[in-house]
């Protein structure tokens, strides 16, 4: 057959060329950035700048129709592009405006663009997919009594949307959520447009003003009341609660402004555009510091089993995470102790201030348990990986009170003034960034005026707990001579 059309000839040659390129590419495989605890989490080769997520909610037993748009920059030449994504069906993919082949491999979605993406070039990805809230109990969507919420820590955001699911790659987020009339949708950040009602549905749009790790994304849909208020220096407050519980929960909501003021006295200005609590009728077994909108189980505020001082201290724990873990995000998951140790520290300090549970008593009790915690979960800065199928098993006592014990030891060693300078400088210099254990040791040494590596090393990485400065009488045994058992908010 003779080709008479130059355009047709060119098209066929181009198609043949792409087929040849595809034939020599390596087969898709799951990749990761080498995190010690989650080796296949995250993806090499690009830096995500922003996510734009569109989600259409029907009910909490049906997959949501979704579109995820990712703007990134290539860090190397990319012939294949890996995203973290599972538990959803992909309908189509585009890279830089052209259709891309896609294939699921383990928990990765691997794209083959029509043409390779050059180093340092923009990368615009569009994925049309579903997001399925059914059948998973290890994070992602959390069914509530009347809708859904998100709990993505530590590695579950990619069960909701395609992403680079590692806290080392923070990005800006836009959320567009469509839900039936009678329901309210909220997300991290602040509304950027009025809710748009179209027939039987309404669409809400929210955007973050600061970069965010994927594990901190939050979307809630339900029969909710949104309660607005004003915090210190005019900070907008936004709480989201079940509409039928609004009056009962109001006394708790009014405490947030005072909690923020208390934290600001110790570490400086609140780092984000707004703050509030999301109280959900759901069973999670934990509370979670999703950025600007911390997730709480409604049972915490039911008035049964928990004294008021304890509930307040848990609220402060999640608020403290907005500085420690959200604004300053861990470089690797082994740096989790920096998140949970600091949040536990301020939780304990707040309870101490209420006169209910002294800081010294809590730290002494933690010291008694510390060796046992290290044996079970590893040292605070080198925790053991969670057992298969128990991914939240990473959140053990050793990274909570066991890590707060490191901060107590540091304060004992260098004095309160130097310690407080470290805390303020840490959240100021690393705001909106990522930082790890080595960064903390270096900054602490600078503020103390001497190298603290030798002092902190055994506290961070030792299999047994070092002697506590200023407390030679403390031991790792209870009065009965037995190691005490261990006892967590995320």
């Amino acid at each position: 057959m003779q080709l008479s059309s130059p355009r047709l000839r060119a098209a066929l040659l181009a198609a043949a060329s792409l087929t040849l390129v595809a034939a020599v590419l390596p087969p898709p495989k799951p990749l990761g950035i080498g995190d010690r605890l989650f080796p296949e989490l995250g993806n090499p080769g690009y830096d995500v700048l922003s996510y734009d997520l569109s989600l259409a909610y029907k009910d909490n037993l049906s997959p949501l129709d979704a579109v995820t748009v990712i703007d990134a920059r290539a860090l190397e030449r990319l012939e294949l592009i890996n995203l973290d994504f599972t538990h959803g069906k992909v309908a189509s993919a585009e890279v830089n405006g052209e259709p891309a082949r896609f294939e699921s491999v383990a928990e990765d979605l691997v794209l083959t663009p029509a043409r390779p993406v050059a180093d340092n070039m923009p990368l615009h990805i569009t994925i049309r997919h579903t997001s399925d809230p059914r059948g998973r109990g290890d994070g992602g969507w959390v069914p509530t009594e009347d809708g859904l919420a998100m709990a993505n820590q530590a590695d579950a955001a990619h069960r909701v949307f395609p992403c680079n699911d590692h806290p080392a790659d923070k990005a800006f987020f836009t959320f567009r959520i469509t839900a039936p009339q009678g329901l309210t949708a909220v997300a991290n950040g602040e509304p950027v447009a009025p809710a748009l009602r179209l027939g039987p549905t309404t669409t809400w749009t929210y955007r973050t003003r600061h970069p965010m790790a994927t594990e901190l994304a939050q979307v809630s849909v339900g029969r909710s009341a949104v309660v607005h208020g004003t915090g210190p220096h005019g900070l907008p407050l936004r709480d989201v609660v079940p509409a039928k519980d609004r009056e009962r929960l109001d006394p708790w909501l009014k405490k947030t402004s005072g909690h923020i003021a208390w934290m600001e006295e110790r570490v400086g200005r609140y780092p984000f555009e707004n703050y509030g609590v999301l109280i959900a009728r759901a069973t999670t077994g934990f509370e979670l510091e999703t950025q600007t909108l911390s997730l709480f189980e409604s049972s915490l505020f039911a008035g049964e089993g928990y004294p008021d001082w304890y509930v307040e201290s848990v609220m402060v724990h999640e608020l403290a995470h907005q500085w420690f873990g959200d604004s300053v995000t861990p470089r690797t998951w082994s740096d989790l102790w920096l998140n949970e140790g600091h949040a536990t520290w301020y939780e304990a300090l707040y309870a101490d201030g209420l006169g209910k549970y002294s800081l010294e008593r809590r730290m002494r009790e933690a010291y008694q348990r510390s060796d046992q915690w290290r044996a079970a979960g590893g040292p605070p800065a080198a925790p053991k990986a969670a057992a298969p199928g128990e991914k939240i098993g990473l959140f053990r006592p050793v990274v909570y009170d066991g890590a707060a014990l490191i901060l107590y030891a540091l304060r004992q060693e260098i004095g309160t003034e130097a310690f407080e300078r470290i805390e303020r400088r840490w959240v100021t210099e690393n705001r909106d960034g990522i930082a790890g254990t080595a960064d903390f040791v270096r900054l602490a040494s600078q503020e103390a005026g001497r190298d603290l590596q030798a002092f902190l090393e055994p506290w961070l990485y030792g299999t047994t707990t070092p002697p506590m400065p200023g407390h030679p009488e403390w031991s790792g045994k209870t009065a009965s001579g037995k190691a005490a058992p261990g006892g967590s908010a995320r």
Side-chain angles (χ1 to χ4, degrees):
M1 181 180 68
Q2 186 177 20
L3 294 172
S4 58
S5 166
R7 293 180 63 186
L8 178 58
R9 184 183 297 112
L12 291 173
L13 287 171
S17 175
L18 285 173
T19 301
L20 288 171
V21 169
V24 299
L25 288 178
K29 62 180 181 179
L31 298 176
I33 61 171
D35 191 286
R36 187 180 68 85
L37 296 172
F38 298 98
E40 293 186 352
L41 206 61
N43 300 283
Y46 60 90
D47 173 29
V48 176
L49 306 176
S50 68
Y51 294 94
D52 191 314
L53 309 181
S54 297
L55 300 162
Y57 172 91
K58 306 175 190 68
D59 58 66
N60 63 8
L61 295 176
S62 299
L64 291 77
D65 293 324
V67 180
T68 296
V69 179
I70 300 172
D71 279 298
R73 180 161 291 275
L75 302 177
E76 60 188 55
R77 175 183 165 86
L78 294 172
E79 295 180 333
L80 298 175
I81 301 165
N82 280 55
L83 298 169
D84 299 304
F85 184 56
T86 188
H87 203 57
K89 294 181 179 179
V90 176
S92 67
E94 294 179 2
V95 175
N96 290 341
E98 297 183 283
R101 293 206 315 274
F102 57 89
E103 182 176 348
S104 292
V105 184
E107 295 195 0
D108 275 19
L109 174 65
V110 185
L111 309 181
T112 305
R115 63 197 76 244
V117 180
D119 180 23
N120 202 38
M121 292 300 293
L123 183 57
H124 183 79
I125 300 170
T126 301
I127 310 290
R128 290 173 173 81
H129 61 97
T130 61
S131 184
D132 199 335
R134 303 169 300 178
R136 296 295 294 252
D138 53 357
W141 288 116
V142 175
T144 66
E145 186 179 272
D146 55 5
L148 291 173
M150 276 189 202
N152 295 332
Q153 198 178 74
D155 66 333
H158 69 281
R159 295 183 201 122
V160 177
F161 60 96
C163 57
N164 199 26
D165 197 8
H166 192 280
D169 192 3
K170 298 169 72 167
F172 293 90
F173 278 73
T174 298
F175 301 89
R176 308 172 200 275
I177 311 140
T178 301
Q181 295 293 340
L183 301 180
T184 299
V186 293
N188 313 86
E190 56 192 8
V192 294
L196 177 63
R197 182 169 182 172
L198 187 61
T201 64
T202 301
T203 298
W204 291 262
T205 304
Y206 299 89
R207 184 170 298 141
T208 66
R209 286 171 49 187
H210 297 263
M212 179 169 70
T214 50
E215 51 120 357
L216 301 173
Q218 182 59 267
V219 170
S220 169
V221 181
R223 299 188 182 280
S224 305
V226 181
V227 183
H228 294 280
T230 303
H233 48 79
L235 177 71
L237 301 181
R238 175 193 57 165
D239 299 308
V240 182
V241 301
K244 60 185 177 183
D245 296 336
R246 175 176 176 168
E247 185 175 341
R248 177 177 64 82
L249 292 170
D250 193 57
W252 292 109
L253 305 183
K254 289 179 178 176
K255 294 181 181 293
T256 295
S257 181
H259 295 162
I260 294 171
W262 185 88
M263 279 296 302
E264 289 190 338
E265 288 176 8
R266 285 152 183 81
V267 296
R269 194 77 164 238
Y270 175 77
F272 297 124
E273 58 268 32
N274 57 7
Y275 184 67
V277 299
L278 165 61
I279 300 176
R281 285 179 168 259
T283 301
T284 60
F286 55 81
E287 327 305 326
L288 186 61
E289 65 272 18
T290 40
Q291 190 162 307
T292 72
L293 190 61
S294 294
L295 173 65
F296 293 86
E297 294 179 291
S298 62
S299 60
L300 181 67
F301 304 92
E304 301 173 1
Y306 301 111
D308 287 0
W309 70 264
Y310 173 81
V311 176
E312 277 204 70
S313 66
V314 172
M315 293 176 74
V316 169
H317 179 111
E318 303 308 333
L319 172 62
H321 270 308
Q322 303 299 312
W323 285 266
F324 300 95
D326 293 13
S327 179
V328 185
T329 305
R331 191 176 299 280
T332 73
W333 277 109
S334 295
D335 299 313
L336 176 64
W337 78 273
L338 285 163
N339 298 17
E340 298 301 348
H342 275 102
T344 302
W345 173 259
Y346 288 102
E347 169 197 331
L349 206 60
Y350 189 84
D352 180 86
L354 293 176
K356 298 297 184 179
Y357 189 5
S358 79
L359 178 69
E360 183 167 325
R361 173 189 164 192
R362 183 164 177 171
M363 292 298 98
R364 184 178 69 252
E365 292 171 351
Y367 192 86
Q368 293 171 344
R369 294 164 169 80
S370 180
D371 280 358
Q372 184 184 29
W373 290 342
R374 288 171 184 248
K384 296 178 182 178
E390 299 178 12
K391 294 186 177 180
I392 64 171
L394 178 62
F395 296 85
R396 305 181 183 97
V398 75
V399 299
Y400 288 86
D401 284 65
L405 198 61
I406 298 172
L407 300 177
Y408 182 81
L410 177 61
R411 194 180 74 166
Q412 290 287 106
E413 177 73 8
I414 66 174
T416 299
E417 289 187 10
F419 176 80
E420 290 178 350
R421 290 198 306 270
I422 290 167
E423 296 292 275
R424 286 178 171 270
R425 185 176 164 192
W426 177 253
V427 297
T428 301
E429 292 190 3
N430 297 301
R431 184 179 183 184
D432 288 339
I434 60 172
T437 301
D439 302 307
F440 185 81
V441 173
R442 183 166 47 251
L443 186 149
S445 297
Q446 291 170 359
E447 282 301 324
R450 60 186 174 94
D451 188 353
L452 291 171
Q453 182 74 35
F455 171 76
L456 287 172
E457 188 87 9
W459 282 99
L460 294 164
Y461 299 106
T463 56
T464 58
T465 313
M468 177 60 71
H471 288 288
E473 76 281 9
W474 286 13
S475 75
K477 301 290 184 182
T478 62
S480 66
K482 297 179 179 179
S488 116
R490 276 157 73 181

